Structures are given as C-alpha cells and as structure tokens.
Amino acid sequence: MTPTYTRKDFTSDQDVRWCPGCGDYSILAQIQRVLPDIGKPRHEIAFVSGIGCSSRLPYYMNTYGFHTIHGRAPAIATGLKSVNPNLSVWVVTGDGDGLSIGGNHLLHVMRRNVDLNIILFNNQIYGLTKGQYSPTSEFGKQTKSSPVGNIDHPIRPIGVALAAEASFVARTMDRDTKHLQQTLLAAAAHKGTSFVEVYQNCNIFNDGAFFPLTEKATKADNTVVLEHGKPLIFGKEREKGIRLNGLTPEVVKLSEVDESELLVHDAERADPVLAMLLDRMTHPQFPVPLGVFRRVERPCYEQLMQGQVDRERKRKTPDLAQVFRRGNTWEVTKRS
Amino acid sequence: MTPTYTRKDFTSDQDVRWCPGCGDYSILAQIQRVLPDIGKPRHEIAFVSGIGCSSRLPYYMNTYGFHTIHGRAPAIATGLKSVNPNLSVWVVTGDGDGLSIGGNHLLHVMRRNVDLNIILFNNQIYGLTKGQYSPTSEFGKQTKSSPVGNIDHPIRPIGVALAAEASFVARTMDRDTKHLQQTLLAAAAHKGTSFVEVYQNCNIFNDGAFFPLTEKATKADNTVVLEHGKPLIFGKEREKGIRLNGLTPEVVKLSEVDESELLVHDAERADPVLAMLLDRMTHPQFPVPLGVFRRVERPCYEQLMQGQVDRERKRKTPDLAQVFRRGNTWEVTKRS
Amino acid sequence: MTTASSTTTKSGDKRELDRVTIRFAGDSGDGMQLVGSHFTTTSAVIGNDVQTLPDFPAEIRAPAGSLPGVSAFQISFAAEDIFTPGDRPDVLVAMNPAALKANLSELPRGATIIVNDDEFNKANLKKAAYEENPLDTDALDGFTVHRVPITSMTTRALEDSDLTAQQKARCKNFFALGLMYWLFDRPLDSTLDMINEKFATRATLREANVAVLKAGHAYGETTEMFHETFHVPPAELEPGLYRNITGNAATALGFLAASQQAGTPLFYGSYPITPASDVLHELARFKNFGVKTFQAEDEISAVCATVGAAWGGALALTGTSGPGLALKGEAVGMAVMVELPMVIINVQRGGPSTGLPTKTEQADLLQAIYGRNGESPLCIVAPCTPSDCFTMAIEAFRIAVKHMTPVIYLSDGYLGNGAEPWKIPDVASLPAIKVAYATQPGEGEEFLPYKRDEWLARPWAIPGTEGLEHRIGTLEKQDLTGNVSYDPANHQHMTDLRAAKIERIADDIPPLEAFGGDSGELAVVGWGGTYGALRSAVTRAQRRGAKVSHIHLRHLNPMPKNTGELLSRFDKVLVAELNCGQLRALLRAKFLIDCAGLNKVAGQPFRVSEVEAKIDELCAGEKN
Amino acid sequence: MTTASSTTTKSGDKRELDRVTIRFAGDSGDGMQLVGSHFTTTSAVIGNDVQTLPDFPAEIRAPAGSLPGVSAFQISFAAEDIFTPGDRPDVLVAMNPAALKANLSELPRGATIIVNDDEFNKANLKKAAYEENPLDTDALDGFTVHRVPITSMTTRALEDSDLTAQQKARCKNFFALGLMYWLFDRPLDSTLDMINEKFATRATLREANVAVLKAGHAYGETTEMFHETFHVPPAELEPGLYRNITGNAATALGFLAASQQAGTPLFYGSYPITPASDVLHELARFKNFGVKTFQAEDEISAVCATVGAAWGGALALTGTSGPGLALKGEAVGMAVMVELPMVIINVQRGGPSTGLPTKTEQADLLQAIYGRNGESPLCIVAPCTPSDCFTMAIEAFRIAVKHMTPVIYLSDGYLGNGAEPWKIPDVASLPAIKVAYATQPGEGEEFLPYKRDEWLARPWAIPGTEGLEHRIGTLEKQDLTGNVSYDPANHQHMTDLRAAKIERIADDIPPLEAFGGDSGELAVVGWGGTYGALRSAVTRAQRRGAKVSHIHLRHLNPMPKNTGELLSRFDKVLVAELNCGQLRALLRAKFLIDCAGLNKVAGQPFRVSEVEAKIDELCAGEKN
Ligand SMILES: Cc1ncc(C[n+]2csc(CCOP(=O)(O)OP(=O)(O)O)c2C)c(N)n1
Ligand SMILES: Cc1ncc(C[n+]2csc(CCOP(=O)(O)OP(=O)(O)O)c2C)c(N)n1
Ligand code: SF4
Ligand code: SF4
Ligand SMILES: [Mg+2]
Ligand SMILES: [Mg+2]
C-alpha cells in the first residue's frame, strides 16, 4: 500500500537554487503536488535529469534522483527502467538538453516507448550557460551567441515527439498551475513514454517569451485547450473555434459558424496526423494548443524486454554448465 | 563553363568493393549518370559520407570525397558548405549511420536547411557490421543482435525529415533506375537540404526487404508515384487511386470513384501536413509513395551565414588595430 | 614442421612432428573461416594443443578473386603447450591466385604450398595482378608446390548431386579440408558429425559436403602427389573437458557467469562495432538467464543506459571497440563521479580513427586511463588469452562491485577473434561475487550515500529501496552526504578519495609473478593479447640459457603492488606491446625504470621470432 | 598592504604602498563583477600593474543573500610587475553577511573589512547561517572592521531620483566603489566616462550612478572613519598602449588576428559550455572580419563541422571545456587521420564529469594527449597568462597550418576569466601565417594527397580546386596516394610518419628557457595558467637567495628540444600543477627524471605562498 503523502514529503532538504522568479519553481511545486496522487511509494520514484537550470530539479525532490550529464537523461532512464520496470521514472530536461545535444536520445526513447515521463522545460534559451539561443529560439533572435540574430530555424518539440510516434504527447505552461498538474497526472497515468512540453519563463535571459500565452489578459485568445472528444473552442468568451478546411485549420467565430462544424479533438486516433496538424498551429496566426495532443497504447520497451526474458526462460532452462559445453567438446585424460 | 562530362568522368580509379548484387551498385551508377547534368564542374562537387557499406561511395567518385566517421557526415558537410557555399555537396549515409548514431545531426542539418543533397541508403539493416537490426528494421525482425526478435518500433526516415521541416523530401529505390535518376536530379536542383531516402537491397543480410515494391510483378500495385499537381493513381492498369476521408487516406477503385475525387499531390504546400499524411501510407495496407513528398523554398543556412558576414562587413569596416583598442585603454610611458 | 625442436621419427610413411602451422587462404566467399574452424576442432579433439588466427581483410566483401577479398585462417597444432598460432605457416592452402599472392611473403622458404590449380586462369590471375602464372615461373622456387585441381575434382565428386553449379562450387573448401585431414592424419568424424548436425534437414547439402570431404581425403590417399603424411601426437594438456572458444565468446560467457555468481541479472548496453559486436550477439542469446541486451542508438546511449542499469542494481556492462570508447569517455567520467559499479569492454582494433577495424592493436591503454576530463581514475584489467577472457570478465565484475567503480576490460581483435582450447570450468568452482545493496539504516541512523567502507567503496543504494531516497549527480559532491559542494577543500578531499579508492584495489589483487627467475638479466613485460607470443619467445630463449623472464600484467590500473619492486630486480626491462609504447610510458613514469620497448603497429600480432630477436639483442652476452 | 617588501612612507595622510589586494564580495545580483572591473581599469589607467580573479560560485543565481549566491572579484594592483591577483586580500568589501562568511577564512589577520552595515539584519544573517551578528561578537577580532551603512546612504543619495526602490538599491555597488576610490586614492574619471557611455541615452540611470559613486567617494572624505588613505604609485611597465583583457577575450582576439595574418577566414564551431562560451560570444561579434560562427547542436557536431571547414580551406577552430573535449575525442582522431589543420580550444574546468564548471583546473592535459583511440599524436600548446592567450592563439594556427595537424590549445578557467593589462600589439608586428593551398600539378605530374614536405606535412588540397579531385577518409591510408590500405607494413609506416611529423615540430619552436639560472638546486616547472603564481614564488625565493629557477612550458607536445637536457641540469625538479601530476608523469616517462610534484585540485589557483613553502621545503639548505 502506498502511504498518504503531502507535497512536503516530496521536498528534499536542499535549498532551491534558481533565480527568483524563474518558472522552474512552479513546475517543481506542481510536480511535488501531484506525486502524492500517482499511487507510488516515494522510494519507487526516480527523477533523472541532464544538465541545465531545469535539470537541477532532482536535487529538490525527496525521491531517488540522478543529475547526470548533458543530454543523456533519456538513455540513463532507459537503463534504469529496463532493469527495474516497477519504478516510476521521470526525466527532466530542457530545450537545449533535450533537443540540442540530446535530440537523438529523445527520439529513440520515444520510438521505443520506454515507460518514462519526460518533462521538457522549454524556455527557448540556454539558461544555465547564461543566455545563448536554443533549438526552440525564434529565428532572428539576438542572444549572446547570436548578436546579429539567430539563423537557425526553430524546432518544434511536439513535432519531433510525434515523428518519433511517442504514445503520449502534451503541452502545458508553468503559469497555469492547474493545467500543469492535470497534465502531469495524465502523463503519470499513461503507460509508455509520456512527453510533456512545458512552456517556462526564464526571467533572466528570455523574460516574457510566453507572456501572450500565459498572461490573463491575452491567454484565452492565444491558446486553445485540447480535450479529447471535444471541439476546439477558445477566446475570452469561448466565442471562437477551429474548423478544418481540408488539411488546413482556420479560426472561425462561433457567431458565424455552428459548433458542429468545428474540429473535434481525437487524442486517441491511431495515427498521429491530426496531432501533427494541430502542432502546426502557432501564435499569432492561431491559438496555441495546450493539453494532450496524442495518447495511444502500444507495448512498452521494458515490458517487451522482460517478456522476452520470461519467454526464453520458459523455453530453455538456464544452465550455465550446459552453456559452457555448447559446441564440440573433448576430454583430455592424463597421459600414461 | 562546365565541361561536358560522361559517367566515366565521375568514376574513380578505385575498385568498387561491395558484395556482388548489392543495391549500392545501382545507386552509385545513377549518381554517376546524373552528375554530368547538374551543371557543376567536377572539382566543385564533394561527397561526404559516414561509415557503413553505403558510406564507401565517395571512394568511387572522381570528385572530392571524404569518408568520415560514423553518423557525422551531416555536420562535416555543414562546415564545408559554410566556408565554401559554391560547392555542390552530397552526403551519403545509411539507415544506421543517418538515423541511429547520426539521427540528431540529420535533424539539425535539415532544420537549418543547409544546401546539401543527402542520400540515405535504407536497407533496413546494418550491412557493414554484418547484420544487426537498424532503426528502420521491422518490429520482431530476427537478426544477429535480436535472435528472438527486434523490440524497437521502427523509425520513418521521411517522417523525421518532415518533422525537421526539411525543404525537399523524396523517396526512391535502387532498382528503379529512371526514377532514381529523376529524383537525384530534382534533389540537386533544389536549393536547401534535399533529403532522399533510397530503398536499397542488401542481398547478404536482408535480401528482398523491398521486393514487393521493386519487383516487376508487384511494383505497380504496391507503390504510388507522387507527382506535384497530379492525383494519386496506381496499379498495374492505373486502376486504383487514393482518396482522402477527412485526414485518412483510403484506396479506391477508379471503376467506382471518379478521378476528380482523388487526392491531388501538392509537394509545394507551405506546411508539411500533407506530406506527413502521405508518409503514413505503408505497405501492405497502402501503396508506398515514391517521389517528391515536399519541395518548398526557404533560406539556406550558408546563405544566411554569408549574408550576416556581408552585412556586417558593410556596417563596420574590419580594422584589427581598432578592435584591439576596444574598451578602455591607457598609455604607459617610460618613467623618468 | 619448422619448429626448432621438432623430433622427426619415421613410422611407416608417417612423419612425426611436434608442431605444424597451416594457413587456409581463399576468397571471402570461399569459406576459409569455416574449414579453419573444422580443422581446429578436429585437432583439438584428438588432443593437440591448438591456437588460431582468423584474418579478415576488410569489412565488406571485396570483388571475388581480388587481393582485398582474400580471407585467411591460420591454425597451429602441436604435441606440446603452445601459445600462438605460429609465426609463419608451414603449409599454405591457396584457393586462388590472390590468396597465393597475399600470403606468399609470409611463408618461410621450404614451406609447402597447395594451390587450387583450376583457379589459376587468366581472369583470376589478372584480378590478383599477376602478369604471368606464378606456377609456371620460378616465383615459387624454394617452396614445395602441389597443384591440385580442387574445383574440378569437387564438381566431379558432385556429378550426381541436385545442387546448382554455384552451390557445388561452394563445396570446394571441404575438398581442401579433406585433403589436409589426410595429409595430417586426422579423423573425419568430428567434421562429419558437425555436417550432419548443421544440415540435418537439408539432405542434398549434407550429402554433398560429405561427398566432397571424403573426395578430398581420398584424393590424398590415391594420388601419388604426396610422398609422406605427418602425425602430430597429442599434447600433454591438463586433464578435463575442453572446447574450442574465441575470446569474444569467452568474454560473453565470463560475464554471464559473473552474473550467475553474483545472483544479479546482467544488462548489456552496446552499439554494434567490429570487432566487439560478437559479444552482443552472444549475450543476446542468453535471455533465459535474465540477460537483457540493449542495442542502443549509439555508444553514448549504450554507456549511459548502462550507468542507469548500474544505478538500478544490475550487473551493468557495456562494450565497444576503439572509436566507441572515445565516444563513451564523457559518460565513463560520470560513472567515476557517481561511483557506480560497471564494466566497459573495449575490444581494441587498429587506429587511429576508423583505422583498421578488423585488425588487432593495443593502442587504447592510455585512452582507457586518461580519456576523460578531469582527474578521473578507474580500474583497468586485460585478459591475456582467449580463455583468460572468461576469467578476467569475472574478475572485472568482482572488482567493480566490491570497490564500487567502473572497470575497463581491454580485450583486442586478436583475442576476440582468435580461438584456443578452453578447459571448461566446473561451475561450482567459480569465484563468488558478493552483491550487497544498501538497506534501510537503523532507527536514528542517517543514510549517507558517500560514506565509505574499508575499501573506500560507497554503498550501492538502489532506487526502490525504502528509506534510502537520495540524490546523486555529476557536480562535485560533498563528502558523506553526496550533496553538491563547491567547497575547495572538499574537492581536494574527494579527488584524493577517488584516487585512493582505486589505488587500494592493489591490496585486493594477486602479486605479479615472473615466469622464469624472479630476477635476472631481462624481464620481458607485456599485457593483453601478446601473452602467447611473449611466453613462447621467452620459453625459447630460456631453453637457450638466457636469464630472461616473462612478466605479464592482467591488472593495469592499479598495478599489482610488487610491480616496481619485481621489475627493479632485472638488469633490463623490455616492454613489448602492439602500440608505440603505452605501458612503457606508464612504467617509466611510475617506477623511473629505463624500459626498452618492442613496438609494432601493423595490425598484426607479434611473431615469436620478432620477440626472440629482440631478446637476443638485449641479452647479447648470453647468446648461444 | 601585507606585501613583504612594502615600503611605507608617510606623505600627508597618505600612506604609500607597493601592492594592495582587494576583494569585492556580495550577492550575485549585487554587481560585484562590474565594480571589480571598474576598479581594475581605473588602476590600470593610472599605471599600476593589475591582476584580477573573478569568482563565480555556481552556475545559477542562488537565492539572494545565501552563501551559494556569493559572487566575488579580487584585484591586486601594484607599483611593480605582478603575476597573480594576490594570495589573500588586504581589504574585503562585504555587501552582506553571506559575503562576509564566505570570504572570512581567506583573510589574513590584520586585514581591513568594510561591511554594508544595513544588510546585517536578521533575515540576511539567517540566510548566511549566522546565529549572531558577527559584527557584534568577537568573531572579527584581529581585523580592522568598518561598518558603513551602504544601502541607506545609497538610497539617501538618490532621494530625488525617479528610479524605483529596487533600481535604487541596485546602485549600491557604486557607493562601495566610490568609497574604495577615495581610500586608495584613485581618480573617478575613467568610471565616469564609462557610466556616461553606457547610459548615454538613459539619463536617469546615468545620473543615479554618478550620484552614488560620488556619494561613496564623499563619504570617505567627510566621515572620520578612515584615518588614512593609501597610494600605490605606478609600476614600471613596458611603455605602450594598454588595455585590460580577460584570457577568453584575448583568445578570441588571437584567433581573429591569426585569421587576418593568414588572410583566411576563421570558422568557429562550438557548443556553449562554461567557461569557454565567452570565446563564442566574442567571435560572434567579428562577422565583419569574415568570421563565421556555428553554434552546433552538440560538441561532436561542432568539431565535425570544424573538420569540414578545415577541409574547405578555412582557419578552422572549435572550442569547449573538459566534458566537451571528451565528446570531441573521436572526431579529433579523424582530424589526425586525415591530417587537416585545425585548432581545438579547451578552457579547462574542475572535473571529473560535470565537476566544478566555474572553477579552474589543469586536469585535461593527458586527456588532450591520449583521449582518442589508437596512436593518434597531435600538437598541444598552452598559454600561460591572459595576454599570452593572444600570442599562443596565433602560434597554434601557425603550427596547425604549417605542419598540417590539429592543435589542442589548453587554456583554463583561471586564464579565461582572469584579466590583466595587455600591451596592445602593433598589427604590423604580428607574426605571419603562411597558407598555401595545393594547386594543380604540372603536366604529367600526379597529385599525391599524402606526399609530404620537409616537415612531413601533406598538401592542403581544398575542394573547388581544379585537377585535385581526390578522396580522403578515416580508414588507414596508403602512403602518398591516400587510398585505403590494409597492408601491415604500410600501417606501421603511416603510424611512424604521423608520430614523426608531430615530433618534428620540436624543430620549429623556441627552446625552453629558465627564469633564473640555467642550472641550480631546483627547477620549478609549470605550464598553463599557474605561470603567475610560480613566477612570483620563484622570484621571492630567488630574492631570498635560493638557487631556484622557473621553467614554464607553453609547448606541451612536442616539448622544446632542450627540455630534458635543461631539466637535468638541476639537482631537483618540482612540477607544480593544478592536477594530480599529469605533466610530471610525462616528464618522468620521457626523461626518467625524478620530479617531485606540487599538486592541488581544489578548483582554485595556487597561492604564491603555497608554492613558496614547497620551494623552501625542497631548498631546505638555502633557507634564509
Ligand atoms: C557536454 C556538455 N556540453 C555543454 C554543457 C554546457 N551546458 C550546460 S546546460 C546547457 C544548456 C542549457 O539549456 P537548457 O537545456 O535549455 O536548460 P535551461 O538551463 O534553459 O533550463 C549547456 C550548453 C555541458 N554541461 N556539458
Ligand atoms: C563510432 C562507431 N560506432 C560503430 C561503428 C560500427 N559501424 C560501422 S557502420 C555501422 C552501421 C552500418 O549500417 P548503415 O548505416 O545502415 O550502413 P550499411 O552498412 O547498411 O550501408 C556501424 C554500427 C563505427 N564504425 N563507429
Ligand atoms: S537562468 Fe533562467 S531558467 Fe535558469 S534559473 Fe534563472 S530564470 Fe530560471
Ligand atoms: S553487406 Fe549488404 S549493404 Fe553491404 S555491400 Fe554487402 S550487400 Fe551491400
Ligand atoms: Mg532552456
Ligand atoms: Mg543499412
């Protein structure tokens, strides 16, 4: 039986060392808030991170934790989960850690569908190294390493996850604590890789990157919350919706178009095409979708691995002495 | 003026060392055949490859060539193209080289849109290391390293390219020499990263992987050739077509459905959604699309880079002495 | 046959020999590795000591008949303990002109050459870049050449078979094998058994191979080409049950055994690479033992997953070859920092860079020691023979788990692909590996993840254990607690502790022994796969009266405690290795001993004669 | 003020000093680095020799007022040539309790402490884990403590300003700066100039900063807290135009200059990492010089793109710190194999693994030499002061291009972040770098990509050149042609050639010089950023009569030809380095000289006194 926890049970004795005002605080707090509800005893939870501001998170969690090296957390978590499928394993990464140096591991862990909860803190900047552009930074952005503008076309985290056919893909924001909590819980409940992109404000090196989406005044018009089976409606008065025109989404007014014409979200669609289409909706042309883009079931890597072990064990009794003797053997006797 | 070449001009003096019957021979031959037509003098062409059977190709080309290390050819080519944008740079890679160890470089080079022609030889196996499963190997495949079956969910090369928003994405096959030539020519003509997946038979370790698509008897029914602006029609008698039902493609008979209802290919659509949808069409449920999935224009990385240099040069005359003196300076004189 | 001490006694038309070395050479498609391994097993079964050396020329099949396409297999079999597959073959079987050309320079004058006469046609001669047929010129003067029409004899033997012409041609290696069996007085049974087993359900192939094998044997017996046959009597081997084993297979079995002895499942994270891939292939077949193999997307993922598995409490193993080890450097440093037990296999190959992937070399020793940022000490062991791969695999995990450290296990292509008879150990006699995970501390006690035992090892506290929740990481950590610490004195302290922990392993490994006197004129020092060549050369020199001993290191970091002292008892020290002097540099730096070097970087193992010559040069006074 | 040789003469109420060391310490948000650099410039401008040491505690801003949040900047200024930022500060400016606590142990007894009294409140004391206010206990006995209400004085000075309360509070560092200017008799002009420039368009901020700076200065003058002020007269520096420069900035300028001198555009491929990132930031600003910077997706991509750029004929540069160098190992091996010229910067930091990213260390020397598979020799240089970073950057490319080899340039965190006055060189006097790409061979001549010149360098033949189409690759290559070759003798030959090429560079670098006698009792040997500490310590020991010399290596592989010979002329050799003895191991292995070691791995540079103590220990006989 899992003990009844409170947030405090998940708070370690280490001082939290992020810049005051950093969005990471909220994400940490929501993680600590939802963990009591995932039904796992504390010692069966492990947090694995790479390197970056965000990746300091495991130090603050009173669970098992491993602050590893830059970009490699998905691989380390794969090893851990492979040898102990019973653990609830969380990967904490940043837009640089996860999509720059670690992009390939992320891709491969998702296609393998290792049962991990991957939380990518996207602040569109390298925080820890003091402000260079990241793979999600906007084109043209001036930073320390791009004084006359970034010439890299930004990457879409959700798009990469979908290309890898991740079985759970969602997006949420540091400032929407409720939605963040819901999303984390949904991720935890999902069997298979859960990929959650969290928009996170770095108030030191990229302040306000998501303000149009996160601030009260503009949020309702600039975001649309995806709910499985529900039409895409948004706006302060929920007066707008998204309709599909062929393969092209368009914003319509509910005063002009009937709700029944709206695009209805289907997170459980077998193929990721709808999710891919939604991922293309970007601010300011469209409201930015938040919530679960995709949630499908497919076998988890560690289960398949364990399954092969179990099956093989039944098929062939392990016998070391017999294995040693495989192939041709011969006896040497003492010569007279 | 570019000299008039023949295939022979692109043949180096090194003996080709692939297994007899390998699909690589055809790809090499088609490359050598089309190069005379790309309008570049031989010394302005460079082939860069990683490691793998396929990656031996540069040795056989009488151009500049560099057989580098495993998975890194896109990065090396990026450096080369950055410092000499005038070269025609070709990257030759395999499904292991490009999508396993090199997946991240591939992703990033495509999002940056470096003007390279990337040819990925997909034989769904590790050839050079003698037959382990690769990231494109089918689930359950038994190989040397998966004696009881591969448990990795395969990756779709085209899907990854589209997620990276590659500006030119195409697929062709070793055995269809005409289509292969056409596709290579189209790739060469495109400014920006051209990504071409080539189905290639490894007759030693994975013989026949693509036979349903490549062999005369079955090819017409199992593939559909994408042509910009044309409806998707296939079949031995061109008697079948693809129609969209919402976001879901379906195979229809032209005897039952009018051609006007068919999905019309639009390779130049701004967003990659249609291409992504097409990429989901897989054998045996669907005919496998061949041809150009996507071809859009966006600025190339090396041009943007050069552009910044040129603009900055105009803005600030380079003056080393002045740069040395930047910030506060002071004069020390001989003390009396 | 050229063995210095061979005693030859006529017994009927059989000549008795102490030792023979044969090389089978042909095209990559000719099945030379297969007949080589048949010959090996047969020779071992009748009691010879055996050593083998496969030689794959390149990674891909080159065009048939070309020089780069030549594949060879050398086997040495003897009536005495031998340590190498022989310097130069006494007999060469050349299946085509390219095979002859590629190997001729290796033959000592007087050697026997058996060629497949049928293949010395215009086309093949051209592919081998022969202007004239060497069989018709004086190119082979000084050798005993036998021209055997192997291809046509094979076809004839299969006249009645239903095989296709191509399939028939593929059988010709068995003709050569049968002929060699006759020539060297070996029974066919073992090969016949194997053919029957392999083709149990394919009668046509089975019958064809049997027919051709027998035809080859009969050819020897009936033609008058060979005037005598040879007999190599059984060697005086330690009694027991034997099998032939390659180093890579022994490595896999050793790690499997380590897992069984530890009662802890093995996790193997790897990315295919020549010549290490076979370890992955072998281990993937032991899922019934609980072995989990993870074919990663690259070497970095492979080592990182292995670190994760170590954290999770598995016997965590990763494996690769040269360039892969370079890629793993950063993550191995992580393992050093978090002090988790794991083993990193490196089957060394020719370098630098991609280098010579199928060739052997020992040039990764210093990479293993220093190939990471910062002061990052770890333990290094190196097996010295194919069989020893088994032993040292267990040793590697014994140390890793007891001392909570990553251990690099340095094999090489020569060991990995080479085979020798392995005395199958009794499972009950294998050393134990004690795994003791940390458990919940007593009431009022605090769990300290970086508190150390008498070996300076920290506890192995695995996720899932109640009450031990704690954080580890790659920033410098505070002593005892493991919390992040930027304190200068702590950093010095932890740096010292990490170094001392590795040094202390020296108290836990056997002292170094000298083969020969414990002091003398010359110590020949080696490590890894050169063991056989060095032991043979030293033995021969000793027989000639030289005061030379052989000292072979299997623990390279730390070294056995008596290393410096032992070496200092010799007038001269010669460090022989297949690199430019890496162990030599370590010994000079550590012990300030003026070691000489015998170094070779040619992708090939030492020849015994090369080592002997060097010994003679250094022991000039003692020369007989 | 504690300088041993300080001569103090009363001149009015000003005391004259030879040398003073000040440390500004406060919260990360307090702007200590900024005032430190102002003080540095001002001191330099009035002619002092200056050395500085910034000290960032951690990578992220820790909570305000906490111990891990303390940021410090130390500056030493003197009337004579100095080489280090001082062992221990004479004066500490502590902006809050945490700053006091974190730095107190560094202060010598008798030091002056100036605290911001306002911040010693309950909340801040708690954050610094002080139970009682140290200003009220005897904790500071033995120090001269001045309690200055800096925060409130700052606010008062800004009563009329339109700034927000928070903005006002942020100005308090300028109050401290003004006060220190008064105390050490420095003019305000240079800082006023800089304020005016920086806030040219923001009048409110400009006026506020000026007001507060002046208020601090006035506070010193009007209160009676300080009984005397101090004067440090100008040093006898080489005449010329100077500026202050950090090692990282000098590195960037050096490589920029190399590119100009070579007439070849610079390509810089890098991935951000502390403390190397500043080189990227600096170079990104020189696009007008044709510099192309490529921020790669990781270190592997960065180094690979750089290899591609080298192939394309650019001056190809990549840069990183410790863990990044580990990742680059495999690709650096590629550069060795294809013999292309490039430079790899490694700004070393504390290790192993992530280690202490903001701290300095010299523990990557052996990684630089050996951190790749196979025998993979390359050239290594190391600058020894921030200014020398400029010089050695040019030297690195001179060697790379002439000898067609990758060169590793080993800087460190101390050099990279530390600053010193740099005598601005005359552009016309910079050394030339000759770039000569291969051109089309004459009629009937064959182009051979691996044919070598007298330095054993192969031609630099870049794509785009007519008639030179050829293939390079990472498999072993045939001599001359560069084609793939599996031939054993060729592999040996090429291995030897690659090694000889690097060794031959020794003929192209200046001999090693000793500071002090060319022989004697003790040679103190160092490399890299420890130069200042070693030079100071040796100078002091020499003044006391010790027969000690300082020998500093800037070329580490190969070493200058006379290295062994020079060292052998000393009775004892001490190798002092910020690692566990890496150069020492090299010297012992190469020259069999029994070097002693002075080693420190604490993330901190040597203190001069530490080195002196060790010298004294070794020169016990000469002690005065
Ligand atoms: C191998 C390696 N390369 C580079 C670094 C330096 N580094 C640390 S964190 C980081 C990027 C951080 O960005 P992100 O992942 O977005 O995290 P954030 O700090 O923004 O949360 C970099 C480049 C490193 N620690 N290790
Ligand atoms: C760093 C490194 N890791 C592993 C290898 C071994 N290796 C060489 S090629 C290859 C995969 C080849 O597969 P693919 O890219 O599909 O090419 P193919 O041979 O099938 O054409 C591997 C794993 C290597 N050379 N270098
Ligand atoms: S730098 Fe940015 S991301 Fe990092 S802790 Fe500070 S505010 Fe947060
Ligand atoms: S192994 Fe396969 S891919 Fe490689 S050369 Fe042979 S047939 Fe071609
Ligand atoms: Mg970030
Ligand atoms: Mg492949």
Side-chain angles (χ1 to χ4, degrees), chain B residues 17-25 52-54 123 125-131 200-206, chain C residues 59-61:
Chain B
R17 295 199 195 160
W18 286 307
C19 306
C22 176
D24 291 356
Y25 283 97
C53 295
S54 33
N123 55 11
I125 200 82
Y126 287 178
L128 189 66
T129 48
K130 307 208 167 97
Q200 173 245 323
N201 193 42
C202 167
N203 54 309
I204 300 295
F205 296 113
N206 199 19
Chain C
E59 293 142 290
I60 317 184
R61 271 146 227 234

Side-chain angles (χ1 to χ4, degrees), chain C residues 496-519:
Chain C
D496 294 343
L497 270 178
R498 285 186 289 263
K501 181 179 79 170
I502 299 303
E503 276 311 314
R504 197 162 294 184
I505 297 171
D507 292 334
D508 193 30
I509 57 177
L512 198 53
E513 284 175 17
F515 169 78
D518 263 2
S519 65

Side-chain angles (χ1 to χ4, degrees), chain A residues 83-153:
Chain A
V83 303
N84 189 346
N86 184 44
L87 298 173
S88 166
V89 180
W90 297 68
V91 170
V92 173
T93 183
D95 43 324
D97 189 66
L99 293 168
S100 196
I101 190 168
N104 206 34
H105 306 306
L106 199 60
L107 200 76
H108 284 271
V109 82
M110 293 189 295
R111 82 172 171 101
R112 293 191 184 110
N113 200 32
V114 185
D115 181 24
L116 307 172
N117 304 306
I118 303 179
I119 318 296
L120 186 139
F121 293 31
N122 184 3
N123 55 12
Q124 301 187 342
I125 200 83
Y126 287 177
L128 188 68
T129 48
K130 307 208 167 95
Q132 300 83 11
Y133 61 96
S134 89
T136 56
S137 295
E138 62 274 25
F139 188 87
K141 187 183 191 73
Q142 294 192 351
T143 68
K144 279 212 189 118
S145 56
S146 56
V148 294
N150 168 25
I151 57 172
D152 282 11
H153 188 81

Side-chain angles (χ1 to χ4, degrees), chain B residues 5 12-14 17 41-48 50-51 56 58-70 72 75-85 87 101 104-106 108-109 111-112 301-302 305-306 308-310 312-314 316-336, chain D residues 41 44-45 47 79 190 194 233-244 253 256-257 260-261 267 282 285-298 300-301 304-305 307-309 311-314 330-331 334 338 340 390 421-422 424-425 427 430 461-475 483-484 486:
Chain B
Y5 294 117
S12 82
D13 62 350
Q14 295 296 293
R17 295 199 195 160
R42 196 170 62 184
H43 63 274
E44 291 180 359
I45 302 175
F47 276 78
V48 186
I51 300 285
R56 293 287 173 99
Y59 288 125
Y60 312 136
M61 298 294 309
N62 194 7
T63 60
Y64 283 91
F66 193 171
H67 177 230
T68 70
I69 49 177
H70 197 33
R72 317 302 177 187
I76 291 149
T78 297
L80 176 65
K81 184 78 183 175
S82 295
V83 304
N84 190 346
L87 298 174
I101 190 167
N104 205 35
H105 306 306
L106 198 61
H108 284 270
V109 82
R111 82 173 171 102
R112 293 191 184 109
Y301 190 77
E302 74 282 0
M305 195 178 231
Q306 187 63 47
Q308 290 193 330
V309 164
D310 296 343
E312 285 295 293
R313 221 177 226 143
K314 266 188 211 137
K316 286 187 285 186
T317 319
D319 178 343
L320 203 55
Q322 193 185 320
V323 165
F324 286 176
R325 267 181 244 117
R326 214 172 51 183
N328 277 55
T329 60
W330 64 91
E331 192 76 41
V332 170
T333 46
K334 246 206 145 54
R335 268 207 270 176
S336 51
Chain D
T41 308
V45 167
S190 145
M194 284 191 273
E236 187 109 36
L237 294 175
E238 221 183 304
L241 189 67
Y242 281 79
R243 67 176 276 202
N244 212 41
L253 285 187
L256 179 68
Q260 296 298 297
Q261 293 306 100
F267 176 91
E282 290 288 326
R285 295 161 63 197
F286 296 130
K287 295 206 160 50
N288 58 328
F289 286 85
V291 175
K292 291 181 174 172
T293 58
F294 169 60
Q295 181 177 314
E297 60 272 23
D298 64 11
I300 297 177
S301 168
C304 285
V307 170
W311 186 34
E330 193 207 4
M334 160 168 66
V338 296
L340 282 169
F390 178 84
W422 174 50
I424 297 173
V427 172
L430 295 176
I462 67 175
T465 317
E466 205 172 335
L468 298 192
E469 296 86 349
H470 69 286
R471 275 63 54 193
I472 57 176
T474 55
L475 289 166
N483 291 332
V484 175
Y486 292 92

